[in-house]
Amino acid sequence: MKELIKDTFELYLQDALEGMAVMQDNSVDLAICDPPYGAATSAKWNYDSSKKLNGFGGNWKLNNEEWDLLTGNEIFKSSYLWLKELKRLVKPTGSIWIHSTYHNSGFVNVVCQILGLEIINEVAWYKRNAFPNLSARRLTASHETILWVHTGGDKRQYNFNYDDVKRAKFAGDNLKEADKQLRTVWDIPNNKGKEELIFGNHPTQKPLRVADRLLMISGIKGGKLLVPFAGSGTEMISGLKYGMHSIGFETNEEYFDLAIKRIEFEESNVNSQLQLI
Ligand SMILES: C[S@@+](CC[C@H](N)C(=O)[O-])C[C@H]1O[C@@H](n2cnc3c(N)ncnc32)[C@H](O)[C@@H]1O
């Protein structure tokens, strides 16, 4: 198995279920999950993907990734298995974020309720620059759902950095004002900056702005962040910037290598900023 273990992060080229199985109960302070959604299609692609769309990293393409070609039944079963592991691993003082679209959000919601993972909030991430609908047979999908859940039952001990979040004004978010409570609709453009794409891109790469916000809300400095589906490492980078030790799993070697490049690049930035202080 390929892996990179450092003081600041650990990334394993490994199935998340296998990797999580050997972790200790109650050893994680926060988990951010961006799992396969079952959103891929094996349909034929007839559109001109050479046309430039800003922030989509050059040639955009149909999501036909094999890891995302899942039936509803497969999504339900796999969501149950990895959420059951997370329930065991995440401390009651911590919490779990789960990204989803209409393909998997219903399953994830039901599984959380079956497992007794209380839903704290359901966030609608509004993407004002969402990818256009090319078939003209559907509305343009312009949001994703993000569930925030915790493992602690009625005691509700999960960490919420309420004051930081209330104080914050997020650049470009027209729905949040400084010193006002954050609502459950987030206006975050889906495009990525050049520095997020310098080593290549991942077909479902999230902008750092989203993961940074999750860390601001529920991060625990010095704690452990688990990223079961690491992809290109976005959530691990936010964890590093926030001061959490992240543990990630990724099954695709190309994305594993990309994540390592991105995280190490960010680590060198963080270190050079620390030297300046
Ligand atoms: C939705 S993407 C995550 C993208 C990530 N948020 C980013 O910004 O790059 C899901 C990733 O999970 C990986 N994956 C799929 N099944 C997995 C599994 N069982 N264990 C670990 N990784 C898996 C896929 O290869 C894919 O890179």
Side-chain angles (χ1 to χ4, degrees):
M1 186 204 1
K2 212 163 145 181
E3 62 188 31
L4 183 61
I5 304 177
K6 295 180 101 176
D7 289 345
T8 42
F9 74 92
E10 301 163 38
L11 184 59
Y12 301 88
L13 180 62
Q14 188 183 23
D15 185 291
L17 275 180
E18 280 173 26
M20 291 194 290
V22 296
M23 291 173 67
Q24 304 270 324
D25 292 5
N26 286 322
S27 58
V28 168
D29 295 287
L30 182 68
I32 304 181
C33 313
D34 187 14
Y37 295 174
T41 168
S42 46
K44 271 186 86 192
W45 182 242
N46 293 321
Y47 305 101
D48 177 12
S49 58
S50 59
K51 217 166 126 193
K52 192 158 169 43
L53 284 179
N54 283 340
F56 285 95
N59 259 9
W60 43 277
K61 56 178 185 184
L62 185 74
N63 174 5
N64 56 4
E65 298 276 303
E66 203 146 309
W67 54 264
D68 209 20
L69 278 171
L70 297 172
T71 63
N73 202 7
E74 287 164 335
I75 298 173
F76 183 72
K77 278 197 218 153
S78 67
S79 304
Y80 182 83
L81 293 173
W82 56 258
L83 278 163
K84 191 165 154 236
E85 274 301 52
L86 286 173
K87 185 174 183 195
R88 180 180 71 77
L89 295 175
V90 177
K91 299 174 189 170
T93 45
S95 57
I96 306 169
W97 293 95
I98 310 151
H99 285 274
S100 60
T101 59
Y102 67 88
H103 310 85
N104 65 329
S105 63
F107 295 115
V108 166
N109 187 310
V110 168
V111 168
C112 286
Q113 298 196 50
I114 290 173
L115 288 171
L117 290 164
E118 190 184 47
I119 297 173
I120 305 167
N121 278 122
E122 180 189 53
V123 170
W125 164 25
Y126 163 53
K127 305 180 201 174
R128 87 178 92 114
N129 56 347
F131 196 78
N133 183 274
L134 299 170
S135 72
R137 298 292 303 149
R138 291 170 189 240
L139 305 178
T140 302
S142 318
H143 79 283
E144 285 190 21
T145 305
I146 313 176
L147 280 191
W148 186 24
V149 311
H150 74 102
T151 59
D154 292 345
K155 290 197 181 138
R156 303 204 175 112
Q157 297 163 280
Y158 60 88
N159 180 55
F160 177 20
N161 303 318
Y162 177 84
D163 292 328
D164 294 346
V165 178
K166 186 169 178 197
R167 209 176 304 124
K169 167 75 193 138
F170 302 103
D173 183 336
N174 296 325
L175 299 172
K176 168 70 169 85
E177 288 172 39
D179 299 315
K180 290 266 171 22
Q181 290 189 339
L182 179 62
R183 293 165 188 266
T184 53
V185 180
W186 299 355
D187 175 14
I188 309 183
N190 190 28
N191 56 323
K192 267 93 43 191
K194 277 201 192 96
E195 67 295 349
E196 293 177 72
L197 301 167
I198 37 178
F199 297 110
N201 67 354
H202 182 286
T204 63
Q205 183 172 331
K206 294 282 178 295
L208 277 166
R209 285 183 287 253
V210 175
D212 287 349
R213 192 178 293 201
L214 305 183
L215 265 297
M216 179 194 267
I217 295 170
S218 55
I220 297 179
K221 290 193 194 291
K224 279 213 167 91
L225 166 68
L226 174 60
V227 185
F229 308 98
S232 64
T234 308
E235 292 78 15
M236 295 179 72
I237 293 172
S238 293
L240 188 75
K241 288 196 291 181
Y242 192 82
M244 293 189 77
H245 176 99
S246 27
I247 302 167
F249 300 101
E250 172 55 52
T251 43
N252 179 308
E253 191 163 4
E254 185 189 337
Y255 303 146
F256 170 91
D257 291 339
L258 172 60
I260 298 278
K261 283 190 200 141
R262 290 187 68 204
I263 301 166
E264 290 199 313
F265 181 72
E266 183 58 39
E267 198 182 23
S268 64
N269 274 347
V270 171
N271 287 341
S272 56
Q273 278 163 18
L274 285 178
Q275 278 163 15
L276 290 176
I277 297 172

